[in-house]
Amino acid sequence: MLQPRRTDASLVSLAGRWYFPIAFVARLPFAMMVVGVLTLVVASRDSVALGGVNSAFVGIGSAVFGPLVGAAADRFGQRAVLVPVGLANAVLLGALPFVVAGTAPDLAVLAMSFCIGASAPQVAPMSRTRLVAIIRQRMAPQRHERVLSGTMAYESAADETVFIVGPFLVGLLASAIAPWVAVAGAAALTLVFVTAFALHPTGRLVVGGAERETPAPATQLLRPRLVVVVLGILGVGLFFGSTLTSLTAFMEQHGESSQAGLLYGIMGIGSAALALGSAAFPRAFGVGWRWLAFGVVLLAGAVAFAAADSVGAVALVLGLMGIGIGPTLVAQYSLGSERSPVGRSATTMTILGSAVIVGQSVASAIVGEVAERAGAGAAMAFPAYAAALVVLAAVLNLVLARRTA
């Protein structure tokens, strides 16, 4: 139950004790989709390239329809949008293993993957929108900056955690039982927890509150200071996809392709910890400079990843890359929230979330093709290219911020 207005209350008490567990689990299927589709197609149709292309189609579907889902939520409310979208997505995920295992042509599988991405419930951006609305409407103004900073740190840590835990679960279920079980599990989680998130009382708050102001023109979404954040977070998505796909190819060379998700989970240890700790960084260490500093750490780890030649070395490098990725995501989402046009918060956050999965999917397709044609060694260079894009966007962000100031 959503608690009444109390300017001195904590965000947890205002949102309700069950909000955060529900919102966390509800975003897991989104993180499992790309990897689950990749693993299922590779296992059933014996083609890394085809699996990568299907992952890309998941991202394309999300890119095309994700922002529209966010815009619809801004206009009609989250409940009216999330319930039918979540149900459609659960049905499509549940049907995919039958289509892949059957005699359907590859084109039909690609169409299913596109529809899965198009119907992906945008839980993470909508959660940010709800929490920002609670802070702005139910807390004293002098508390806004501090609580918003902590909230963005938690939300980014939650996103980073699920984007690590999701592939980890896919790898665990695929290696312990069968690849189709991971996709079926994502369908069940969507059906139960996305519906629970949609119907949570916080979903009503955004509809009737300050977020219902007259929206700024859609052209405001194209402002350079917001576009550069989208570019940077696209780089993070490219990093996720290229790392996991090249890691899958590397582990396939070692005869353990289904365990790539388990190894990938190592990256989440330092990532989640530092993402949560981002709220404790001093204010003098500005958000833009955090993005640049930890982006450089990410780039250094990615260069080392390209040179790694053993499972042990890869595991160590993944731990280093995790240190860079968490605070980078926190900085990017914080800047995205700060620069969101009036009345377009769900749209903005959905665009950022879609950029992650688009980057992940496109990189999976490209790197999967490279791995199949040129081997795992060539594929393992691509995370460094993605990390370089993250660093370049960080530099552009600082330049734009300086000009604005």
Side-chain angles (χ1 to χ4, degrees):
M1 179 179 178
L2 189 64
Q3 299 301 310
R5 178 185 179 101
R6 283 178 50 204
T7 57
D8 62 337
S10 68
L11 184 60
V12 174
S13 63
L14 288 172
R17 66 178 65 182
W18 288 107
Y19 175 80
F20 288 95
I22 290 172
F24 181 84
V25 179
R27 69 184 77 193
L28 260 177
F30 191 78
M32 295 172 68
M33 285 176 192
V34 172
V35 184
V37 169
L38 173 67
T39 305
L40 177 64
V41 174
V42 170
S44 299
R45 305 219 166 182
D46 195 27
S47 172
V48 175
L50 181 60
V53 172
N54 273 274
S55 295
F57 268 65
V58 174
I60 293 169
S62 178
V64 172
F65 287 95
L68 298 178
V69 171
D74 279 332
R75 182 174 178 84
F76 303 111
Q78 292 189 11
R79 282 186 174 182
V81 174
L82 269 178
V83 171
V85 167
L87 292 176
N89 189 251
V91 171
L92 289 166
L93 283 169
L96 183 65
F98 297 100
V99 175
V100 174
T103 59
D106 292 344
L107 188 60
V109 180
L110 290 172
M112 285 283 292
S113 297
F114 177 85
C115 292
I116 285 171
S119 61
Q122 305 291 331
V123 172
M126 293 192 189
S127 176
R128 285 181 172 83
T129 302
R130 292 188 192 189
L131 295 177
V132 169
I134 290 173
I135 292 167
R136 289 176 176 170
Q137 296 175 34
R138 295 175 174 265
M139 288 188 173
Q142 61 269 25
R143 299 181 60 198
H144 287 183
E145 182 178 354
R146 182 176 61 84
V147 180
L148 277 171
S149 175
T151 300
M152 289 299 108
Y154 164 77
E155 284 289 306
S156 298
D159 276 348
E160 171 61 13
T161 301
V162 298
F163 271 104
I164 298 297
V165 172
F168 177 84
L169 284 177
V170 171
L172 180 64
L173 293 171
S175 59
I177 308 175
W180 66 266
V181 176
V183 176
L189 288 173
T190 299
L191 181 64
V192 176
F193 285 94
V194 172
T195 302
F197 176 80
L199 299 177
H200 191 274
T202 52
R204 294 196 303 263
L205 178 67
V206 181
V207 175
E211 293 296 301
R212 298 299 292 170
E213 295 174 335
T214 301
T219 53
Q220 292 292 305
L221 295 168
L222 300 177
R223 289 179 300 178
R225 294 184 71 223
L226 184 56
V227 170
V228 76
V229 177
V230 176
L231 178 65
I233 211 162
L234 174 67
V236 172
L238 291 168
F239 172 82
F240 282 144
S242 58
T243 300
L244 182 58
T245 307
S246 60
L247 179 61
T248 301
F250 176 82
M251 294 300 290
E252 188 175 39
Q253 283 189 349
H254 290 74
E256 300 288 351
S257 62
S258 63
Q259 295 188 17
L262 300 177
L263 195 62
Y264 186 73
I266 294 173
M267 195 165 63
I269 299 173
S271 177
L274 280 172
L276 285 170
S278 294
F281 288 143
R283 293 184 63 180
F285 188 19
V287 176
W289 288 105
R290 294 177 204 170
W291 176 359
L292 178 60
F294 287 99
V296 170
V297 173
L298 182 65
L299 178 58
V303 171
F305 178 77
D309 58 0
S310 68
V311 174
V314 165
L316 287 174
V317 172
L318 287 169
L320 173 62
M321 291 193 295
I323 294 173
I325 197 68
T328 299
L329 269 177
V330 172
Q332 291 169 335
Y333 274 116
S334 297
L335 289 170
S337 174
E338 175 187 317
R339 297 170 185 178
S340 172
V342 173
R344 300 273 182 187
S345 58
T347 307
T348 302
M349 291 301 174
T350 303
I351 289 172
L352 295 179
S354 294
V356 174
I357 199 168
V358 167
Q360 186 183 31
S361 302
V362 170
S364 295
I366 295 173
V367 177
E369 186 69 27
V370 170
E372 194 154 289
R373 292 179 179 272
M380 291 172 72
F382 279 78
Y385 304 149
L389 177 61
V390 173
V391 172
L392 174 62
V395 173
L396 291 174
N397 174 69
L398 289 172
V399 171
L400 289 171
R402 185 184 182 93
R403 287 181 177 177
T404 302

